[in-house]
Amino acid sequence: MSNIKAIRLALGLTQQKFAEGVGCTQSAVGQFERGETTPSVEIGKRVVGLAADAGREVSLDHVYGMKPWGDVAVHG
């Protein structure tokens, strides 16, 4: 399961604002968070970029749940 919800909450964003930031719909974000679908690699890369813009170091491993969320560094 992905860490999308944890990343979104750490960024302090609503599902709608997160969706706008990564270029998908709010509905898609909800599906990612519930584990109903997996974000595409393109969306995953956008999540990494959105987090970086907010001073968070997030990798694709974090996005896709291959690394625990606690490993994420905060910069800034």
Side-chain angles (χ1 to χ4, degrees), residues 16-67:
Q16 183 62 43
K17 290 294 183 186
F18 187 85
E20 291 170 7
V22 299
C24 69
T25 64
Q26 179 182 355
S27 175
V29 172
Q31 290 172 348
F32 302 152
E33 291 183 357
R34 291 188 300 275
E36 295 172 0
T37 60
T38 301
S40 68
V41 173
E42 183 59 36
I43 295 293
K45 289 177 181 179
R46 291 178 190 169
V47 171
V48 170
L50 183 66
D53 290 347
R56 295 278 184 152
E57 186 177 319
V58 174
S59 70
L60 287 176
D61 286 342
H62 291 117
V63 172
Y64 293 104
M66 293 178 269
K67 264 189 170 177

